[in-house]
Amino acid sequence: MDRIVFEVARALLPLLLFFGVFQALYLKLPRVYVANLGKGILLAFLGMVLFLQGVNVAFLPAGREIGEALAAFDQRWLLIPFGFLLGFLTTYAEPAVRVLCYQVEESSSGYIGESLILYTLSFGVAVAVSLGMARLVYAIPLLYFVIPGYFLAILLLLFSDGEFVGVAFDSGGVATGPMAVTFLLSLAVGVAAGIEGRNPVTDGFGLIALIALAPILSVLMLGILYRRRRGEET
């Protein structure tokens, strides 16, 4: 717990110093605003400490134990639909994804709906996690997914609506938030540890790379649909 408090404080301190310098030299914001900002930073500090402590106590060990238990099933192909379900639910509950979806709808004045982006990202990550489980079950090399995936992403750039390109690549980073990294990664490592002949280091890792790629593809495909619809309307 002490280590987590120190790490969170070390992460927030540069931001506080940065704001303090700008407040003293340029911003000159009212005291009420600064006081509210301080309260918000304190709440963020406490929230990060509690979240990271919860991750260490619950998410990481639970994900690994669930993964090892699933790997013990005789019908290991069930890991694929199970991964789809977990990928969808985890992304749907990801706080960073909610923030991105809200910002997209607000910035586009409602042209790109918040719920549409949310379900698009959740579905894309769900497919990625199911492919990650298939990779573990059938010992498929990671490069067979990553190289064609990024090649397809570059190809889709030529046909997607320009307004979706930046959203797509930002979505890849947002989807790999704390929920995915803490639970899904530990789940994949647990599955790799529970399957004979798999190495938790070489086989268990790589799922986050697929999760980062999936939203890029799904949002770019959504941009193609929007571009086609815009063409039909004109």
Side-chain angles (χ1 to χ4, degrees), residues 197-214:
R198 304 291 186 272
N199 188 316
V201 176
T202 57
D203 298 315
F205 291 88
L207 179 63
I208 303 301
L210 297 180
I211 294 175
L213 174 61

Side-chain angles (χ1 to χ4, degrees), residues 1 4 48-58:
M1 186 68 175
I4 293 176
M48 291 175 67
V49 169
L50 293 175
F51 176 78
L52 292 175
Q53 180 65 13
V55 163
N56 291 329
V57 173

Side-chain angles (χ1 to χ4, degrees), residues 146-163:
V146 174
I147 293 178
Y150 277 101
F151 179 80
L152 178 60
I154 295 173
L155 185 63
L156 291 176
L157 287 173
L158 303 175
F159 304 98
S160 184
D161 193 308
E163 295 182 359

Side-chain angles (χ1 to χ4, degrees), residues 94-141:
E94 182 68 62
V97 169
R98 296 294 182 123
V99 173
L100 174 72
C101 295
Y102 172 77
Q103 291 289 341
V104 169
E105 182 178 44
E106 184 180 33
S107 300
S108 64
S109 300
Y111 175 68
I112 307 173
E114 178 180 356
S115 59
L116 179 61
I117 291 292
L118 177 61
Y119 283 110
T120 300
L121 295 181
S122 299
F123 180 80
V125 172
V127 173
V129 177
S130 63
L131 290 176
M133 293 297 108
R135 184 178 75 89
L136 290 172
V137 172
Y138 300 109
I140 304 173

Side-chain angles (χ1 to χ4, degrees), residues 176-189:
T176 55
M179 295 295 291
V181 173
T182 56
F183 184 73
L184 294 179
L185 180 59
S186 60
L187 177 74
V189 172

